[in-house]
Amino acid sequence: EYPTDLCTYLGQSKKEAGRHTLMGVGQYYRTAFNIKVYGAALYVSKRDVLAAQKFGEYAALTAEELRNRDDFYDLLMTMPSPGEDEATSVGALFDRTLFIKINMQLSTDAMRKSLEADWSLLTDEMKSLIIESSFEERMADDRMLQKISSKENSSNCSCGQNAPPDYKADPSCCARGTELVFTWRKNGDFEVRLDGRVMH
């Protein structure tokens, strides 16, 4: 369900920026029935990672070995602060993207609460920015209008976006298959996309 490369999705040229490569996929389960609430995929800039010397020590490790290396995940999660020496930082400078696809209809309130409660590695400031920019009220674009009117979206969910009255859109919920994509750039920029539309 997830593309192996996000370059086109992010509006980049492979020739100029290189591949934005899929690193791994996981599922977030909730309740005693193990319902798949959403899937999350991590992408990184292949060109940036190959240029970052810190990744070299992990190159020969198997996937099983990497699962037990907290330092590897610290490297993936941490971006050096502005002015910080990359050589002494836990992290490295490379573009990275978290791609979330919802597996079931969810209310925007439930999604906000999940981000606030379950994303423990994000700071409160980052959570606030993600939540506010993801569900900021605005007019739906063509892609969202198609989703609102699709047969699979029987509740006409519009994920916080407004639509003309004849669509009977419900901005308080997000439909199954909705994509929330967060990209952290090595230059310090942070991008939020909802179903491919840049929201922030």
Side-chain angles (χ1 to χ4, degrees):
E1 287 191 41
Y2 294 88
T4 56
D5 180 75
L6 271 194
C7 196
T8 303
Y9 188 96
L10 298 177
Q12 300 174 167
S13 159
K14 283 185 186 178
K15 186 175 181 181
E16 293 177 7
R19 293 175 60 87
H20 207 75
T21 305
L22 177 64
M23 292 285 289
V25 177
Q27 293 288 337
Y28 176 73
Y29 293 85
R30 197 72 171 177
T31 79
F33 299 104
N34 280 334
I35 296 171
K36 293 179 180 178
V37 180
Y38 57 77
L42 177 67
Y43 293 80
V44 300
S45 165
K46 182 177 180 181
R47 189 175 290 174
D48 290 346
V49 167
L50 289 175
Q53 294 182 353
K54 290 184 179 181
F55 282 98
E57 65 180 279
Y58 304 103
L61 300 182
T62 66
E64 187 61 39
E65 289 171 328
L66 286 173
R67 284 191 191 100
N68 299 313
R69 293 291 298 267
D70 289 342
D71 54 336
F72 176 67
Y73 292 99
D74 287 340
L75 175 58
L76 285 176
M77 293 287 298
T78 309
M79 189 83 79
S81 303
E84 183 181 6
D85 183 2
E86 188 177 357
T88 58
S89 170
V90 173
L93 290 170
F94 62 97
D95 290 353
R96 63 202 84 185
T97 296
L98 188 61
F99 190 119
I100 296 173
K101 185 176 285 191
I102 300 170
N103 293 326
M104 59 188 292
Q105 179 180 309
L106 290 173
S107 70
T108 53
D109 188 53
M111 292 179 67
R112 285 188 184 98
K113 288 178 178 176
S114 176
L115 284 170
E116 289 171 348
D118 301 318
W119 289 33
S120 57
L121 294 177
L122 293 179
T123 64
D124 289 341
E125 183 182 3
M126 185 59 74
K127 289 178 186 178
S128 177
L129 176 60
I130 287 174
I131 291 167
E132 289 173 10
S133 55
S134 298
F135 306 113
E136 182 182 337
E137 191 174 299
R138 66 191 75 201
M139 287 303 296
D141 62 2
D142 289 342
R143 184 173 173 180
M144 180 56 73
L145 292 175
Q146 289 177 7
K147 177 166 279 188
I148 293 168
S149 58
S150 71
K151 292 180 180 179
E152 292 80 19
N153 185 7
S154 58
S155 299
N156 299 337
C157 297
S158 64
C159 213
Q161 299 183 50
N162 297 320
D166 52 315
Y167 281 86
K168 298 179 181 177
D170 183 355
S172 71
C173 61
C174 297
R176 182 178 185 272
T178 296
E179 300 165 355
L180 280 169
V181 179
F182 311 108
T183 300
W184 290 264
R185 299 289 188 184
K186 62 185 178 183
N187 65 1
D189 289 348
F190 177 59
E191 301 167 1
V192 178
R193 288 174 174 81
L194 177 63
D195 283 338
R197 179 185 184 182
V198 177
M199 307 294 278
H200 176 84

